[in-house]
């Protein structure tokens, strides 16, 4: 393929931190804090949309799931435990190496691949669930990336997109606060110019054949030291979309 969504600088940035993916007190501490709210959201929406039995230990049994930009596998492992057949894809080979090692140590079968969304789409891959979580702000050629991600969703399937809004509040919280003051993240983790609004994500999703069903904010509550779902999409947010059944 001549076109790519891979940004070499972003790949190098996350490769340099790869060994810390599974350290809840390391550089990915904010993601570990964020994981519970996004995991429960994904689980609940998949169960509701696909009519699964939420009382079962493995309610996602038989579903094929892709986590694009999977990093060290923080979403892949719990999704596998919920029963899904999981493919984890990341452009950084070091991330994939770390993810494979941790999955092996955890006794989990996960298909990890060092590849890109456009390569998977070109190969005709299809998934019941595609997770596009905290990735779109780190890629090049966003229109190609979002088209590729949408193409990977099977008829009747779901696409989850999570990212950061392009607002002054988001700049103050995600860059000034999280990177420069609180040092939750290394400086330079985010580029404000790459942030996208919920309307922009929704337009890209709709343009590529999916219907947006929900937009929800995710807000950090410092006193409780946890993230919660919210109607406030001004900083972090998620967009849920579905592809019509065949």
């Amino acid at each position: 393929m001549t076109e790519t969504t891979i940004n070499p600088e972003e790949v190098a940035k996350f490769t340099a931190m790869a060994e810390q993916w599974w350290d809840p007190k390391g550089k990915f501490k904010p993601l570990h804090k964020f994981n519970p709210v996004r995991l429960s959201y994904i689980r609940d929406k998949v169960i509701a949309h696909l009519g699964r039995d939420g009382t079962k230990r493995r309610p996602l049994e038989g579903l094929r799931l892709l986590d694009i930009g999977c990093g060290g596998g923080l979403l892949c492992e719990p999704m596998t435990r919920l029963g899904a057949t999981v493919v984890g894809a990341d452009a950084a080979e070091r991330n994939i190496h770390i993810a494979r090692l941790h999955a092996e140590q955890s006794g989990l079968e996960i298909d990890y691949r060092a590849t890109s969304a456009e390569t998977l789409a070109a190969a005709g891959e299809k998934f019941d669930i595609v997770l596009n979580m905290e990735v779109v702000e780190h890629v090049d050629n966003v229109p190609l990336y979002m088209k590729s991600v949408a193409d990977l969703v099977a008829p009747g399937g779901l696409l989850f997109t999570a990212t950061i809004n392009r607002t002054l509040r988001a700049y103050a919280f995600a860059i000034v606060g999280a990177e420069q003051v609180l040092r939750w993240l290394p400086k330079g983790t985010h580029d404000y110019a790459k942030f996208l609004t919920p309307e922009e994500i929704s337009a890209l999703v709709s343009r590529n054949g999916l219907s947006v069903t929900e937009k929800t904010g995710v807000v950090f509550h410092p006193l409780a030291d946890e993230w919660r779902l919210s109607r406030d999409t001004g900083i972090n947010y998620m967009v849920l979309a579905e592809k019509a059944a065949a």
Side-chain angles (χ1 to χ4, degrees):
M1 296 183 66
T2 56
E3 287 189 287
T4 181
T5 65
I6 296 172
N7 182 311
E9 292 181 1
E10 294 289 334
V11 171
K13 185 190 304 178
F14 285 95
T15 296
M17 300 187 288
E19 269 69 23
Q20 297 199 39
W21 272 108
W22 288 95
D23 180 1
K25 296 181 179 179
K27 291 181 178 179
F28 293 104
K29 179 180 177 180
L31 211 48
H32 282 268
K33 288 279 189 186
F34 197 45
N35 231 20
V37 70
R38 63 181 186 167
L39 281 171
S40 61
Y41 181 79
I42 294 164
R43 178 187 180 277
D44 291 348
K45 294 302 175 182
V46 170
I47 286 172
H49 178 75
L50 297 175
R52 293 298 173 121
D53 185 352
T55 65
K56 289 188 175 181
R57 188 173 65 87
R58 293 166 61 85
L60 307 190
E61 196 85 56
L63 296 177
R64 194 163 188 247
L65 180 148
L66 170 67
D67 182 13
I68 191 73
C70 65
L74 299 188
L75 283 173
C76 292
E77 292 200 8
M79 289 295 139
T80 300
R81 290 191 174 95
L82 287 171
T85 299
V86 175
V87 173
D90 200 285
E93 291 190 15
R94 189 63 187 164
N95 285 347
I96 293 298
H97 175 69
I98 295 296
R100 284 174 179 156
L101 282 178
H102 198 275
E104 184 179 338
Q105 293 165 359
S106 303
L108 297 172
E109 292 282 339
I110 300 173
D111 181 1
Y112 282 117
R113 308 180 195 179
T115 188
S116 65
E118 63 270 20
T119 300
L120 288 168
E125 296 267 10
K126 297 292 180 184
F127 299 87
D128 302 297
I129 307 158
V130 175
L131 305 183
N132 172 32
M133 312 297 277
E134 293 81 41
V135 181
V136 69
E137 68 269 27
H138 299 291
V139 303
D140 282 347
N141 198 337
V142 171
L144 173 61
Y145 174 75
M146 289 301 294
K147 181 184 186 306
S148 302
V149 168
D151 287 347
L152 289 163
V153 182
L158 293 175
L159 171 63
F160 293 83
T161 298
T163 189
I164 304 172
N165 203 342
R166 194 175 63 255
T167 63
L168 290 179
R169 277 201 299 139
Y171 178 82
F173 181 85
I175 296 179
V176 176
E179 295 183 20
Q180 299 173 12
V181 178
L182 298 173
R183 304 290 177 89
W184 285 353
L185 297 165
K187 286 185 179 180
T189 298
H190 293 110
D191 179 353
Y192 179 74
K194 286 178 171 280
F195 292 171
L196 295 164
T197 68
E199 293 73 26
E200 289 167 338
I201 289 290
S202 297
L204 286 164
V205 167
S206 300
R207 181 191 306 170
N208 289 295
L210 280 76
S211 300
V212 173
T213 59
E214 185 173 278
K215 302 173 193 175
T216 184
V218 190
V219 174
F220 183 69
H221 289 256
L223 294 179
D225 193 28
E226 67 181 15
W227 292 84
R228 297 175 185 170
L229 298 180
S230 169
R231 287 180 291 181
D232 181 2
T233 59
I235 302 176
N236 292 81
Y237 68 91
M238 294 187 282
V239 174
L240 175 61
E242 64 181 14
K243 182 172 282 187

